[in-house]
Amino acid sequence: RKEVEQDPGPFNVPEGATVAFNCTYSNSASQSFFWYRQDCRKEPKLLMSVYSSGNEDGRFTAQLNRASQYISLLIRDSKLSDSATYLCVVNKIKAAGNKLTFGGGTRVLVKP
Amino acid sequence: DTAVSQTPKYLVTQMGNDKSIKCEQNLGHDTMYWYKQDSKKFLKIMFSYNNKELIINETVPNRFSPKSPDKAHLNLHINSLELGDSAVYFCASTAGTSGINGYEQYFGPGTRLTVT
């Protein structure tokens, strides 16, 4: 079983609609959680951290469910520019340094 | 100004060759990483250096040897290239190794390596 699993998609979303997707992680010792965004043939960039109480950043809402070991990302009022691959990232504290484990990504295509 | 830069952007080479990829960051960060992203898009950590010291070394073949001449540079040398080495290699940096400083990774644009 992979440490971090995501539905690869693609999620085809009409412009203006809401889309949500989850990511599950296997290691209950995982400390911190993040969503990164990767555009086609580009580098990943941090989208947002995921806090235990859930958090919003504009049209993006992230939730963490430690009991069920998953995190989620919801995008409201989708824009064409939201089309990208969203990478779920989980952090474990090692004896020396952080180690980020990336999921395989969920591809989102927003269409007019 | 590019924060994390990598050269070359594209690298096409034959099996058995030796090649190097270079990475430089001008963010003043202490920690740098090499990641490999394969055709299935999984991004896997290979190495991490903090102030020129190796701190993370995942299960990577010995043919891969990182070198950090100073904390702004992290190079990756690959010996005896194999077909399975074809991937995109990303360099990244963070301000530190713990806490929030270790979480936001700034990635370079990637080096697309094709081994024929």
Side-chain angles (χ1 to χ4, degrees):
Chain A
R1 183 185 171 188
K2 292 190 174 64
E3 282 193 64
V4 180
E5 294 204 66
Q6 295 183 249
D7 182 337
F11 284 63
N12 292 301
V13 185
E15 194 175 7
T18 295
V19 61
F21 41 89
N22 292 340
C23 156
T24 58
Y25 61 95
S26 61
N27 190 332
S28 58
S30 298
Q31 302 276 335
S32 310
F33 309 89
F34 310 89
W35 285 104
Y36 273 68
R37 170 191 169 131
Q38 186 171 23
D39 293 312
C40 190
R41 301 178 79 87
K42 296 285 190 181
E43 70 274 19
K45 292 183 180 176
L46 179 65
L47 178 67
M48 60 195 300
S49 303
V50 185
Y51 302 128
S52 297
S53 53
N55 49 297
E56 259 187 43
D57 184 359
R59 297 180 293 106
F60 297 81
T61 301
Q63 298 275 0
L64 166 64
N65 186 317
R66 281 194 188 269
S68 301
Q69 295 185 204
Y70 73 86
I71 67 173
S72 64
L73 183 66
L74 181 145
I75 308 173
R76 281 187 301 279
D77 186 24
S78 298
K79 311 288 184 197
L80 297 177
S81 58
D82 294 333
S83 296
T85 297
Y86 292 85
L87 304 172
C88 171
V89 184
V90 170
N91 178 65
K92 280 188 299 190
I93 306 291
K94 286 175 69 101
N98 288 317
K99 179 187 168 188
L100 297 187
T101 302
F102 286 75
T106 296
R107 193 160 166 235
V108 172
L109 293 173
V110 182
K111 301 190 173 178
Chain B
D1 283 346
T2 304
V4 183
S5 59
Q6 292 180 231
T7 53
K9 195 167 183 181
Y10 299 95
L11 184 53
V12 180
T13 188
Q14 290 184 326
M15 281 175 57
N17 285 348
D18 302 338
K19 290 292 177 187
S20 291
I21 307 171
K22 295 187 175 183
C23 177
E24 177 181 0
Q25 54 93 4
N26 62 8
L27 296 165
H29 286 170
D30 290 335
T31 310
M32 297 183 72
Y33 307 79
W34 277 113
Y35 287 88
K36 178 181 179 181
Q37 188 169 42
D38 60 25
S39 57
K40 294 185 179 177
K41 304 301 182 189
F42 280 94
L43 199 63
K44 292 181 184 173
I45 190 168
M46 301 173 70
F47 302 102
S48 175
Y49 272 73
N50 179 248
N51 272 321
K52 303 192 295 174
E53 182 184 344
L54 181 67
I55 57 169
I56 294 175
N57 184 349
E58 292 297 291
T59 308
V60 177
N62 290 337
R63 300 181 294 103
F64 290 80
S65 51
K67 278 196 173 57
S68 181
D70 55 62
K71 73 175 193 178
H73 295 84
L74 181 61
N75 304 323
L76 184 65
H77 188 76
I78 315 170
N79 288 326
S80 304
L81 278 154
E82 300 178 357
L83 292 176
D85 298 333
S86 295
V88 182
Y89 292 83
F90 285 102
C91 176
S93 73
T94 56
T97 59
S98 62
I100 191 64
N101 286 337
Y103 298 160
E104 182 165 11
Q105 306 220 346
Y106 292 80
F107 284 83
T111 295
R112 192 169 295 270
L113 171 66
T114 303
V115 182
T116 61

